Amino acid sequence: MKEKLAILGNPPAFEKPRSTSNLIKPNIDSFLNYIKPSYSKGNLVEDNSLIQELENRLALVHGSKYCIAVCNGLWGLVLAINELKLNNKTEIIMPSLTYRRMADIAAWLKMTPHYCDVEIKTLGISAKSVENSINEKTALILAPHPIVNLCDVDGLLNISKKYKLPILFDSVEASYACYNGKSIGTFGDAEVFSVHASKFLNGFEGGYITTNNFDLARKLKAARNFGIENNQDLITLGINGKMILPHAAMTMSSLDLLETQIKKNKLRFYKYKELLEKVEGIDLIEYDSVERRSFKNILVKLNSQWPYSREVTLKILQKENMVVRPYYFPPLHKKEAVYPTIIGNLPNTELLMNDYMLLPCGEFVDSDDIEIIVDFLVYIESNSKEIKIELAKNNN
Amino acid sequence: MKPNNSIKTNNLPPWDEFQKMVQGIWEREYYTNHGPLVVDLENRIENLLGVKNAVCMTNSSIALMIAIKALDINKKVLIPSFSHLNIAQSVEWAGVEAEFGSIKNDSFVIDPKGIQAETNENIELVIAVNDFGMVSEIDELEELARQKNFRLIFVSDSFFGENYKEKKFGHFGDIEIFSFNESQLINGADGACICTSDNLLADKLRNIRSSYGAVKKVPIPYTGNGRMSEIQAGLSLLSLDNFENKRNEVLKRKNEFNTIVEKTEGVSIYNSINVCCNFILVLNCVKLGINLKDVTHKLKLINKHIELFKFYGVEIYSPYKRKSFPKNSLIDSSIGLPSNITSEEFNEVVSILTQNIK
Ligand SMILES: Cc1ncc(COP(=O)(O)O)c(C=O)c1O
């Protein structure tokens, strides 16, 4: 194995990195066709027909009444929370095991993240734990869907109803999914999506919010344009949160590839599934087969038979240019913050936080790559004794 | 097509150049996260302006929010009381309170005399805006900042590439911000650039923007998403390639405009024609026999970047009161025109303004 592992000084398995980013590549002509009419008018930043076309199309995909395109997912979340939060309340209930900037989003709103636990089954926010975190300061429930499958939508909606608390879903990782046969994008008070190049739809940068609430949609449309409604009146606190037209054109051309993408994602997923059978220490997290899913992310759990810690595993694989990533690590409650945070009881988060890992996926990963990746996993699993000795010698 | 649509301002590069730039992105398959075009753009700006650090962002409002956080301002911020509401909003989003500083009586810039009186130990930062050919008294402000120990941000949106007393914009204050909105000569379809000579501050800006492109990990309050995409950077680079030509064209047109208004009673151009930026048309509404409110809609149809200052000097919370400036000679009797306004558009503007006189 001295000849094989990059971490021991050999050439990596891949010359070009294979990452966990989607990076789908729309048809260039389709992109140019979408942008050309606005380009020839010299208009690349406006709430014009292209933005409306995109918003209508996304609303249709999600089955929501309204869609509001924004400059990116992060400010989309900030603006949506700002409109939805209960007045004079300060806490946002959110999981700790989630997107690394989620607590910073609360900080931009001068609010306090209140971390609750996730369910072992879904890795999503647990309704029970949310209920335990509710207090007189709770302003909103922020429920991000996990990277594979969905959180307990019904359970969470019940809590939101029972306590009359607004609920916002971060559905960045749940694009294209269905819950009980109904498309994601219509649940809770609103849902936020990102079209960052690494996500399901590649819009360079960008995001959008879906909702069935007319008044919220109206406020958000103003909020992304300095709070100005229809270039006339101020109706809320805003920023420049507009999606620019090149990003809208890119998202449109990504949407054109939606069906093909799902097919490719499925092929990748089932290839991993078939091959990972050979790896005892790694369990693939499966997509719910009865509901619509994007099959985009490849999430695995390192079980008790896997011979390495996750940290060492990541190191070994990354050296091979397999840009694997730990699942939301560190969890937010382990990060130092300059703003106040509230840490609830997080037994499941503590239990799970070192077990999961994302394997390469997306446009740059084909069947042959998956074979190389899994063969490599098989190899390091079956030669773990010798490898560990070599690693120890090399101070790894 | 209606004639109005066919003469819309277009300061975009020719389509084939755009197409070529897009092809490059498709070949590299690098779309955002501090890609090669953003790196190139930042280097080009650093060289052109002679600044140590250029940090590109999504747009100038987000850039300002991130700049305030990078300076770690926790008390109060003084801003010009007659400025676009995005300035006050950015301060609010950055989690601090804005106070409105007096402006001069013959322009929109913050008054250093006012600052003498209005700053106290609670004012940690002053934001000065240079726009529409109106430049703050930069030397005085920098001196005051030293004396009174506050930080200084210049929002110099439309002065990219221009000089102030032989020094290029980009070198002033702790931080200077330029907008690459499509109304500016550098058109990044929105986008902005923050310049600073303070390396630590630059590292903080890069860390808050998102980890990609962060050269060094430095302590920051928290992160945002201020990333500029490759297509924004590509567009900005194309504007830069053609910058000198565009600039000369604009200056030539401004000369032309000056001759037109010299012959037109009740209309004059406010600022020096030697600066290449957006500018103010001063109106004598009594002489012209018009009410600005009545022509707003028509003017906006000519070019959406014509500024009627409706959202300047307004409060950011309901009932969104607009302050009054009884002593100021420009407010309510001027309109702002974008630097790239065409001759046709300019003539249309003048003919609407003079519609009631023979
Ligand atoms: C779960 C989740 N929410 C929100 C975001 C923010 O989206 P953006 O990168 O468009 O700001 C991300 C992006 O990484 C994410 O993964």
Side-chain angles (χ1 to χ4, degrees):
Chain A
M1 96 273 326
K2 269 194 180 147
E3 300 76 59
K4 189 143 180 173
L5 299 194
I7 199 168
L8 298 175
N10 300 295
F14 293 109
E15 210 172 295
K16 251 179 96 179
R18 300 293 191 277
S19 79
T20 57
S21 291
N22 208 23
L23 303 173
I24 67 160
K25 187 180 190 171
N27 181 299
I28 189 167
D29 293 323
S30 142
F31 169 76
L32 291 169
N33 284 337
Y34 281 122
I35 197 66
K36 196 163 191 178
S38 308
Y39 198 95
S40 34
K41 282 190 210 146
N43 250 342
L44 293 186
V45 190
E46 201 180 289
D47 187 358
N48 81 344
S49 53
L50 183 63
I51 294 288
Q52 281 156 29
E53 203 182 325
L54 173 67
E55 289 175 340
N56 292 342
R57 197 163 160 192
L58 288 167
L60 209 67
V61 168
H62 292 288
S64 69
K65 281 196 186 144
Y66 310 102
C67 172
I68 303 96
V70 288
C71 60
N72 58 47
L74 186 138
W75 300 117
L77 283 164
V78 169
L79 292 180
I81 295 170
N82 192 46
E83 295 301 336
L84 285 171
K85 66 176 201 258
L86 296 183
N87 275 337
N88 305 317
K89 309 278 177 177
T90 51
E91 288 182 14
I92 302 176
I93 298 180
M94 63 172 77
S96 165
L97 196 63
T98 187
Y99 170 50
R100 63 190 161 139
R101 297 184 210 286
M102 209 64 102
D104 291 357
I105 286 169
W108 283 104
L109 288 146
K110 289 179 265 180
M111 296 174 79
T112 309
H114 186 142
Y115 302 131
C116 68
D117 211 4
V118 292
E119 297 179 310
I120 297 206
K121 192 174 118 231
T122 62
L123 300 183
I125 186 169
S126 134
K128 182 105 199 70
S129 174
V130 168
E131 187 162 20
N132 289 336
S133 308
I134 293 172
N135 61 36
E136 68 288 349
K137 289 185 192 154
T138 307
L140 175 130
I141 302 166
L142 177 54
H145 285 296
I147 275 183
V148 168
N149 298 318
L150 303 175
C151 52
D152 172 16
V153 175
D154 276 341
L156 292 165
L157 289 177
N158 282 338
I159 301 287
S160 138
K161 217 175 186 174
K162 182 167 160 195
Y163 293 90
K164 296 197 172 59
L165 286 170
I167 180 164
L168 176 67
F169 286 97
D170 175 328
S171 303
V172 168
E173 294 298 348
S175 316
Y176 197 71
C178 274
Y179 182 78
N180 289 342
K182 201 172 144 207
S183 191
I184 285 299
T186 53
F187 294 95
D189 291 286
E191 303 198 35
V192 178
F193 299 82
S194 163
V195 295
H196 180 267
S198 64
K199 300 295 187 280
F200 181 64
L201 297 173
N202 177 1
F204 289 104
E205 286 278 348
Y208 60 95
I209 306 162
T210 57
T211 179
N212 285 335
N213 178 333
F214 170 79
D215 198 51
L216 177 67
R218 186 185 151 227
K219 291 261 184 61
L220 286 172
K221 278 200 174 163
R224 72 173 173 200
N225 185 32
F226 309 111
I228 306 169
E229 182 171 47
N230 299 328
N231 293 320
Q232 288 296 322
D233 301 304
L234 278 165
I235 61 166
T236 189
L237 181 70
I239 52 168
N240 182 356
K242 290 188 283 286
M243 180 188 274
I244 61 168
L245 300 191
H247 296 174
M250 188 71 163
T251 312
M252 288 288 269
S253 22
S254 289
L255 273 166
D256 289 345
L257 291 183
L258 200 135
E259 296 304 327
T260 349
Q261 191 197 161
I262 300 294
K263 267 194 211 126
K264 286 190 189 167
N265 288 354
K266 267 192 184 161
L267 281 178
R268 275 188 285 263
F269 175 79
Y270 284 107
K271 186 80 187 175
Y272 267 117
K273 183 171 148 70
E274 176 203 326
L275 297 179
L276 280 172
E277 295 286 333
K278 295 184 281 183
V279 188
E280 303 243 322
I282 290 184
D283 303 327
L284 177 69
I285 308 307
E286 298 224 20
Y287 284 89
D288 187 330
S289 59
V290 291
E291 296 260 23
R292 198 174 76 183
R293 291 290 182 263
S294 76
F295 293 88
K296 167 178 154 299
N297 302 310
I298 307 296
L299 181 65
V300 296
K301 183 176 179 187
L302 305 179
N303 66 34
S304 56
Q305 297 193 53
W306 183 250
Y308 310 90
S309 71
R310 184 178 62 182
E311 202 187 336
V312 170
T313 312
L314 292 169
K315 247 195 211 162
I316 296 175
L317 296 178
Q318 280 167 356
K319 284 281 181 198
E320 303 296 336
N321 267 333
M322 302 173 193
V323 193
V324 289
R325 286 192 308 153
Y327 183 76
Y328 293 134
F329 191 84
L332 303 181
H333 76 285
K334 295 283 185 197
K335 286 170 81 169
E336 241 177 83
V338 302
Y339 45 83
T341 60
I342 296 169
I343 302 174
N345 199 13
L346 308 172
N348 294 347
T349 306
E350 292 282 344
L351 187 72
L352 301 171
M353 65 186 201
N354 293 311
D355 289 354
Y356 290 83
M357 168 174 103
L358 288 155
L359 294 182
C361 65
E363 189 84 359
F364 294 174
V365 176
D366 63 21
S367 241
D368 294 346
D369 295 340
I370 295 170
E371 276 184 25
I372 294 172
I373 293 166
V374 179
D375 281 350
F376 189 82
L377 292 171
V378 171
Y379 176 80
I380 61 171
E381 182 174 53
S382 46
N383 294 287
S384 64
K385 263 201 195 119
E386 298 92 315
I387 291 176
K388 279 181 167 179
I389 294 169
E390 287 295 327
L391 289 178
K393 271 197 227 156
N394 285 271
N395 264 333
N396 273 297
Chain B
M1 237 190 229
K2 280 188 248 130
N4 256 340
N5 288 339
S6 58
I7 51 163
K8 280 263 165 18
T9 310
N10 192 342
N11 68 340
L12 288 167
W15 176 255
D16 58 334
E17 282 180 27
F18 173 74
Q19 208 170 342
K20 215 168 118 201
M21 180 272 285
V22 170
Q23 259 150 12
I25 295 178
W26 253 252
E27 275 157 29
R28 288 184 296 275
E29 301 178 300
Y30 206 125
Y31 307 99
T32 182
N33 290 1
H34 209 68
L37 293 180
V38 175
V39 173
D40 191 18
L41 177 63
E42 291 186 345
N43 288 334
R44 289 270 300 273
I45 294 170
E46 284 167 5
N47 287 332
L48 182 73
L49 304 185
V51 293
K52 266 202 198 154
N53 301 282
V55 184
C56 288
M57 300 266 178
T58 314
N59 62 47
S60 83
S61 301
I62 289 174
L64 183 55
M65 288 156 68
I66 290 178
I68 299 168
K69 285 283 33 131
L71 287 167
D72 210 357
I73 303 299
N74 295 298
K75 293 180 191 165
K76 288 187 178 180
V77 182
L78 197 72
I79 68 171
S81 52
F82 192 75
S83 51
H84 188 272
L85 88 163
N86 86 78
I87 304 285
Q89 284 177 339
S90 295
V91 174
E92 175 73 13
W93 283 113
V96 277
E97 201 182 318
E99 284 205 4
F100 297 90
S102 316
I103 53 164
K104 302 196 58 133
N105 285 334
D106 56 355
S107 84
F108 302 159
V109 301
I110 199 158
D111 188 353
K113 283 203 198 78
I115 291 181
Q116 277 284 10
E118 286 149 5
T119 46
N120 52 46
E121 68 283 355
N122 279 328
I123 302 286
E124 271 185 289
L125 167 70
V126 172
I127 299 175
V129 180
N130 301 318
D131 206 4
F132 294 105
M134 300 178 211
V135 180
S136 314
E137 291 167 57
I138 294 175
D139 303 340
E140 282 88 332
L141 291 179
E142 288 190 327
E143 182 51 36
L144 273 172
R146 270 189 292 274
Q147 274 173 26
K148 301 200 127 201
N149 204 22
F150 57 77
R151 310 301 291 268
L152 191 54
I153 292 181
F154 284 102
V155 177
S156 301
D157 280 350
S158 53
F159 284 92
F160 185 89
E162 301 299 317
N163 287 309
Y164 172 78
K165 298 192 179 166
E166 260 132 64
K167 213 162 140 192
K168 274 218 154 53
F169 282 91
H171 290 266
F172 305 122
D174 295 285
I175 275 179
E176 193 157 7
I177 302 177
F178 300 103
S179 158
F180 296 162
N181 177 272
E182 62 182 5
S183 65
Q184 310 293 346
L185 274 201
I186 306 290
N187 182 349
D190 256 356
C193 173
I194 305 183
C195 296
T196 179
S197 57
D198 179 335
N199 292 340
L200 176 62
L201 197 50
D203 281 329
K204 288 186 181 187
L205 291 165
R206 296 186 186 107
N207 275 269
I208 300 176
R209 174 177 63 183
S210 114
S211 42
Y212 307 97
V215 189
K216 212 165 97 200
K217 210 167 153 60
V218 291
I220 47 163
Y222 39 84
T223 66
N225 176 356
R227 290 187 295 263
M228 177 186 259
S229 73
E230 284 292 275
I231 195 103
Q232 289 181 287
L235 279 161
S236 309
L237 280 165
L238 289 176
S239 289
L240 264 186
D241 287 342
N242 205 9
F243 186 65
E244 273 310 309
N245 285 341
K246 270 259 152 59
R247 187 174 179 276
N248 290 333
E249 250 173 59
V250 168
L251 290 179
K252 210 171 113 208
R253 266 205 311 269
K254 270 194 160 175
N255 261 321
E256 218 179 278
F257 300 160
N258 234 30
T259 351
I260 297 173
V261 295
E262 266 166 23
K263 289 180 273 174
T264 318
E265 247 196 288
V267 183
S268 59
I269 290 180
Y270 173 79
N271 48 305
S272 154
I273 54 161
N274 296 323
V275 198
C276 176
C277 69
N278 49 8
F279 58 104
I280 293 276
L281 214 51
V282 188
L283 314 172
N284 184 331
C285 291
V286 179
K287 234 181 210 161
L288 293 167
I290 54 159
N291 187 336
L292 258 185
K293 282 207 181 77
D294 301 336
V295 293
T296 300
H297 184 65
K298 277 193 194 159
L299 291 173
K300 277 280 182 198
L301 275 183
I302 298 174
N303 181 317
K304 66 173 173 165
H305 296 297
I306 293 178
E307 184 54 77
L308 282 303
F309 302 115
K310 181 172 166 163
F311 299 106
Y312 277 61
V314 289
E315 309 245 321
I316 57 173
Y317 284 110
S318 171
Y320 309 107
K321 229 174 64 207
R322 192 172 192 270
K323 291 185 200 48
S324 70
F325 300 86
K327 289 202 202 118
N328 191 287
S329 58
L330 278 184
I331 296 171
D332 296 327
S333 62
S334 59
I335 61 173
L337 300 182
S339 57
N340 46 45
I341 191 162
T342 63
S343 304
E344 291 91 334
E345 288 171 337
F346 188 82
N347 280 317
E348 266 201 71
V349 169
V350 172
S351 79
I352 285 173
L353 295 172
T354 56
Q355 62 191 1
N356 293 339
I357 46 176
K358 298 271 143 39

